Amino acid sequence: MLTTLRALFVTDPLIVRATMVMGTVSLVASLVDGTGRAQHRVACAWGRMLLKIAGVKLRIEGLQRIQPGGTYVFVSNHLSYMDIPSILPSIPVQFRFMAKKSLWKVPFIGYHLRRAGHIPVEREDARAALKTLAEAARIIRERGVSVLVFPEGGRSPAELRGFKEGAAYIAIKAGVPAVPIGLAGTRQVLPMGSLLVRPGQVTLRIGKPIPTAGLSIRDRHALTAQVRERVIELTRPAARN
């Protein structure tokens, strides 16, 4: 009961205020830096702020596998709206994420996503979706930034769902490693269907980068299966580096 009251009257209002303030700072930063890099740094600070407000203890494993300045396609399971605040401050490289295009129509949020350089995905149009994947690969090659993908296509209420092949397509097309990420604990912090953020322990495990050199687009199915198996291993309680 006390946890619910704290979430309702303290945690959630503070998160809303922090999001409004940092969102405004991010938009101002975008007027100075059109690359989205300044906005990414603001977003990382926002993520750390939300975790602290919520009382979330974040444990990161496998960070040594990421080279600062490197480019990757990060592939993560998706449990909760708290996944993004947990991932943002945990990965020491610039990255943009892919999200459903409908978010770009939401006032303020859509403008912010567009200015930050995140990538809208059209799920209903296969041709448009393929064009988006090619654009994500181009961004990696030309801008030197990484991309984060949730290949389940949305939050998973229970077991890990099947992976769509977009992440593998991007990694192969861009010629960069695919990096599996396993998240645990965010569903308990903010369950699906709830707006009450609770304190808790979140673990983020970074797996070994899977090289894509020498692969062709025809190999995307096999790569997708390999990445999914790695993510499953990383989400198990007994997972080790």
Side-chain angles (χ1 to χ4, degrees), residues 136-151:
R138 185 191 66 80
I139 288 172
I140 293 174
R141 290 193 307 268
E142 297 182 4
R143 300 184 189 176
V145 298
S146 299
V147 170
L148 168 68
V149 182
F150 294 114

Side-chain angles (χ1 to χ4, degrees), residues 155-220:
R155 290 169 296 158
S156 174
E159 298 298 322
L160 194 71
R161 295 186 292 191
F163 278 14
K164 300 181 185 301
E165 296 181 353
Y169 182 98
I170 296 169
I172 293 170
K173 193 80 172 176
V176 299
V179 179
I181 291 178
L183 275 171
T186 53
R187 183 183 287 136
Q188 287 69 42
V189 171
L190 181 58
M192 286 184 66
S194 174
L195 296 176
L196 301 180
V197 182
R198 302 168 173 83
Q201 173 77 48
V202 170
T203 301
L204 185 150
R205 297 187 178 101
I206 300 172
K208 295 179 181 178
I210 302 172
T212 61
L215 299 184
S216 72
I217 296 301
R218 291 190 297 272
D219 298 311
R220 66 187 184 278

Side-chain angles (χ1 to χ4, degrees), residues 103-154:
L103 288 176
W104 270 249
K105 299 177 182 178
V106 179
F108 188 78
I109 293 177
Y111 182 74
H112 174 271
L113 292 172
R114 185 164 52 253
R115 294 288 297 180
H118 298 297
I119 306 164
V121 179
E122 180 57 76
R123 296 178 178 174
E124 308 302 324
D125 186 333
R127 182 174 296 180
L130 185 60
K131 185 178 179 180
T132 298
L133 298 179
E135 173 65 10
R138 185 191 66 80
I139 288 172
I140 293 174
R141 290 193 307 268
E142 297 182 4
R143 300 184 189 176
V145 298
S146 299
V147 170
L148 168 68
V149 182
F150 294 114
E152 294 171 274

Side-chain angles (χ1 to χ4, degrees), residues 86-105:
S86 299
I87 294 173
L88 274 168
S90 302
I91 299 177
V93 298
Q94 284 273 333
F95 67 88
R96 308 291 178 262
F97 59 80
M98 303 182 72
K100 55 185 179 181
K101 192 174 182 179
S102 59
L103 288 176
W104 270 249
K105 299 177 182 178

